[in-house]
Amino acid sequence: MGDLFDGYGSTLAPRKTASGIPAFDEMFGASPQPGAPAQSRDAYRELYQALAQMTQEELRGRTESLASSYLAQGVTFDFAGEERPFPLDAVPRVITYDEWSHVESGVKQRVKALEAFLDDAYGRQHCVRDGVLPAGLIASSQYFYRQAAGIHSANGVRIQVSGIDLIRDENGEMRVLEDNVRVPSGVSYVISNRRMMAQTLPELFVSMRVRPVGDYPNKLLSALRASAPSGIEDPNVVVLTPGVYNSAYFEHTLLARLMGVELVEGRDLLCIGGKVFMRTTRGPKRVDVIYRRVDDEFLDPLQFRADSMLGAPGLMLAARLGNVTIANGVGNGVADDKLLYTYVPDLIRYYLAEEPILKNVDTWRLEDPGALEEVLDRLPELVVKPVDGSGGKGLVVGPDASPSELEALRQRLLADPRGWIAQPVVMLSTIPTLVEDGMRPRHADLRPFAVNDGEDVWVLPGGLTRVALPENQLVVNSSQGGGSKDTWVVGGSAPSHVEYGQGTGVSGLVADQAMTTSAISIIYPDDVPPQTSAIPIIRDGQPAPSHPPKDRPRNPEEQHQQEQHGQEEQQQQQQQQQQQAAEGGDAQC
């Protein structure tokens, strides 16, 4: 055996719950002691036996190769203004098929309930009439937009894509931490992680029968096409991105490429007669479905921010007239409100007449004076979150906060109890992760992605496992310095459309697992044709035809300087807006 797991365990005093229970370790029933053989859980046994043969240097070399490959491919994420390779740990997370079936059912149930709620919230609000929700909850939500009322896609779906964040508590039970139904990000890293891990540990993919993730682009495209306006036989789908300065731009480009559709910015779209068109060198081309990765308030300057340069004037009118579908639906953020999260179990019972399959984390609603009083008394032992926060921003972990931070938090809670919720410190489960000190337990969560085509909710097998790399850290978001792991769903009967190990060598294994992800490369291999014949898009900044002599400016040099200065100011403003546009879920990755 190698020394990979020698000394495994926390170098600091491990976190525990208020009742003294430590975090659930997903690979080991108990932390292995020096000199004693480790006892791995059944799901990890085969993986552990393979990894235990390696030294730290061997695994670290593979990890560094993954980072180098990601940097070369552009698989990056913006962290503190610096573009970094998305951190991928070489030790995957393993979930058995039986447990995954339970998670999958719970995610589907939750998406269906949230879909019904959004239809109700922007309609007659029966949930308020029947006393399921307080009257002011919807209207007081920052992300409730009256401009979205009455807008429906042809198949009635508002949540084409969702990401339901889960954690495994100290007892090993999966619980829902929060819902993301605006524009949840991170699926590109699921696809990229799988491609790289299939090259790193190919034999284990065959022997453990890991379920593939390569169906996602096809499922997403099918759901988008299904939401197209009525009467459109061959809908034109585009991906709308804020631009190259957005932290999730890699994901936007990857999904557009894998689906074989155009990637556009707001300046590429124009609305004429209540319809949306895309500028191309062949003239305007009708757009039927927009998979937008732009936050609501930047979408249409006629309806939201008048200074927005990321959307297109008239988009909301075209959507209201039923001439274009915007996915995910505008105004979905009201379902992401963390105060609404506390009512989702009641919404499941109300809309679906079912008991929740996945439990929430226990949560205090601070609008209740009794709950507020209790939370203020227990601030040093609780986690307090802003209801409209994302990416871990604004979150305060009581045990880690200083007295001055807690006092400042106390004043904010008293001033705006509607804007906050409180939860006990939940011990996110730990997974062995290679860090500077060697193999150590690190806290992790899970974001399964679900795609709704109006007929069924399909859940991507596995999802994105995010890891807090600093020791004892509970905030796993990449925007806060976290990393990721490939998530393996193993066991059960293999999907009929996948012939495991039938390909030639590693390349065949990668094709089995990642399927269409060969399109990640900017340069296509000779045997992999591009998925789309792109229609060149005309950019506003392209040179215009020369003026006739009589129309030329009298002072060409001065005119050129003025135009150049205006373009520079416009580019700076656009860059600032791209960085501002948190994209709802995109910033939470």
Side-chain angles (χ1 to χ4, degrees):
M1 291 289 182
D3 64 352
L4 187 61
F5 291 96
D6 288 354
Y8 177 78
S10 178
T11 58
L12 303 175
R15 280 188 178 273
K16 295 182 180 179
T17 64
S19 57
I21 303 176
F24 182 95
D25 192 281
E26 303 221 359
M27 181 178 284
F28 300 107
S31 297
Q33 301 298 322
Q39 297 296 321
S40 64
R41 299 186 189 276
D42 290 343
Y44 281 86
R45 185 154 297 145
E46 190 171 349
L47 174 65
Y48 170 69
Q49 291 174 351
L51 293 176
Q53 303 291 334
M54 300 182 186
T55 64
Q56 288 187 14
E57 288 71 22
E58 290 173 329
L59 189 61
R60 197 176 298 280
R62 298 193 183 197
T63 301
E64 291 173 354
S65 296
L66 292 177
S68 299
S69 178
Y70 267 18
L71 191 59
Q73 292 183 46
V75 187
T76 59
F77 194 90
D78 180 82
F79 177 69
E82 178 185 352
E83 204 70 19
R84 298 182 180 181
F86 193 75
L88 170 61
D89 187 69
V91 179
R93 179 187 213 157
V94 180
I95 301 175
T96 63
Y97 178 73
D98 289 341
E99 183 180 22
W100 177 252
S101 297
H102 176 76
V103 169
E104 183 180 44
S105 299
V107 170
K108 287 184 177 182
Q109 180 192 60
R110 203 163 179 103
V111 171
K112 291 176 181 177
L114 291 174
E115 187 75 66
F117 162 72
L118 284 170
D119 184 65
D120 194 13
Y122 287 101
R124 296 185 177 273
Q125 298 192 359
H126 292 301
C127 59
V128 174
R129 181 199 64 186
D130 294 338
V132 181
L133 295 180
L137 189 150
I138 296 175
S140 63
S141 174
Q142 177 182 343
Y143 298 112
F144 177 69
Y145 292 107
R146 298 186 186 279
Q147 297 94 322
I151 297 179
H152 303 276
S153 64
N155 62 349
V157 175
R158 293 175 182 268
I159 311 173
Q160 283 79 9
V161 183
S162 57
I164 309 299
D165 289 351
L166 308 177
I167 56 96
R168 192 191 296 276
D169 66 15
E170 59 274 8
N171 298 314
E173 181 181 7
M174 286 284 193
R175 290 176 175 260
V176 178
L177 185 63
E178 63 182 45
D179 304 294
N180 300 288
V181 296
R182 280 176 283 175
V183 193
S185 71
V187 74
S188 61
Y189 305 119
V190 176
I191 296 171
S192 302
N193 289 354
R194 178 57 53 86
R195 176 177 173 83
M196 299 307 300
M197 290 300 295
Q199 295 173 332
T200 303
L201 301 169
E203 297 82 4
L204 287 176
F205 275 92
V206 177
S207 61
M208 296 180 69
R209 303 179 73 81
V210 181
R211 292 185 166 255
V213 299
D215 273 351
Y216 183 86
N218 293 330
K219 293 288 187 181
L220 175 58
L221 181 59
S222 296
L224 295 173
R225 291 172 63 90
S227 69
S230 301
I232 306 295
E233 295 183 1
D234 186 20
N236 182 28
V237 180
V238 299
V239 177
L240 175 61
T241 176
V244 297
Y245 297 106
N246 187 266
S247 61
Y249 184 70
F250 164 75
E251 175 153 308
H252 310 162
T253 60
L254 177 67
L255 290 177
R257 192 177 303 127
L258 295 184
M259 289 192 292
V261 303
E262 296 292 348
L263 179 71
V264 301
E265 297 181 25
R267 58 183 174 170
D268 302 320
L269 302 177
L270 67 156
C271 301
I272 305 174
K275 298 178 182 179
V276 181
F277 297 86
M278 173 177 63
R279 293 186 175 97
T280 77
T281 53
R282 302 174 190 173
K285 182 177 181 181
R286 174 81 180 271
V287 173
D288 305 300
V289 181
I290 300 173
Y291 178 45
R292 53 89 174 219
R293 302 303 294 260
V294 175
D295 200 15
D296 290 345
E297 53 185 52
F298 290 94
L299 268 178
D300 186 341
L302 297 182
Q303 296 289 329
F304 303 109
R305 286 185 52 161
D307 66 337
S308 173
M309 303 178 64
L310 306 183
L315 280 184
M316 291 298 291
L317 175 61
R320 184 172 299 281
L321 293 174
N323 294 327
V324 71
T325 297
I326 300 175
N328 282 357
V330 176
N332 277 13
V334 66
D336 286 356
D337 190 307
K338 292 180 176 59
L339 183 58
L340 182 91
Y341 158 89
T342 67
Y343 290 93
V344 173
D346 295 328
L347 296 178
I348 291 173
R349 298 183 186 100
Y350 177 69
Y351 291 116
L352 306 181
E354 300 172 356
E355 283 299 312
I357 296 172
L358 296 172
K359 296 179 182 178
N360 277 12
V361 173
D362 296 337
T363 307
W364 283 269
R365 301 168 185 158
L366 302 190
E367 282 191 315
D368 179 354
L372 177 60
E373 183 180 356
E374 181 181 357
V375 167
L376 292 176
D377 288 341
R378 300 177 55 187
L379 272 186
E381 60 187 74
L382 301 178
V383 175
V384 182
K385 304 177 180 179
V387 297
D388 58 352
S390 63
K393 297 176 182 177
L395 179 149
V396 178
V397 180
D400 298 342
S402 66
S404 60
E405 289 173 332
L406 292 176
E407 181 57 32
L409 176 62
R410 181 185 301 276
Q411 299 305 317
R412 289 197 294 270
L413 299 186
L414 289 169
D416 180 25
R418 164 62 175 89
W420 301 81
I421 61 169
Q423 296 172 334
V425 178
V426 180
M427 288 299 103
L428 280 65
S429 60
T430 59
I431 309 175
T433 303
L434 188 62
V435 295
E436 289 185 5
D437 297 336
M439 191 66 72
R440 297 287 183 264
R442 290 294 185 264
H443 295 284
D445 77 348
L446 176 65
R447 175 176 289 182
F449 293 90
V451 177
N452 186 4
D453 63 4
E455 298 292 333
D456 184 39
V457 178
W458 176 80
V459 184
L460 177 70
L464 179 64
T465 290
R466 302 179 297 179
V467 186
L469 297 179
E471 188 162 10
N472 280 342
Q473 174 66 264
L474 295 176
V475 180
V476 301
N477 305 77
S478 299
S479 53
Q480 303 294 312
S484 71
K485 289 177 175 287
D486 194 13
T487 308
W488 295 4
V489 175
V490 301
S493 57
S496 58
H497 67 279
V498 176
E499 299 290 337
Y500 282 96
Q502 297 300 310
T504 304
V506 173
S507 61
L509 200 290
V510 173
D512 286 344
Q513 278 297 328
M515 296 177 69
T516 58
T517 58
S518 55
I520 289 176
S521 302
I522 300 300
I523 301 177
Y524 290 94
D526 293 337
D527 58 342
V528 181
Q531 297 210 9
T532 179
S533 177
I535 300 176
I537 296 175
I538 299 176
R539 301 292 186 185
D540 290 341
Q542 288 181 343
S546 300
H547 293 282
K550 64 180 180 179
D551 293 334
R552 285 182 183 144
R554 293 184 178 179
N555 190 338
E557 183 177 353
E558 181 181 351
Q559 179 76 11
H560 174 72
Q561 290 176 350
Q562 291 178 351
E563 290 178 353
Q564 186 176 20
H565 179 68
Q567 289 177 358
E568 290 176 353
E569 287 186 343
Q570 188 175 18
Q571 289 175 355
Q572 290 176 357
Q573 184 179 358
Q574 187 172 7
Q575 180 177 349
Q576 290 174 355
Q577 289 190 2
Q578 289 176 14
Q579 293 170 343
Q580 279 180 6
E583 295 189 287
D586 269 17
Q588 298 173 31
C589 176

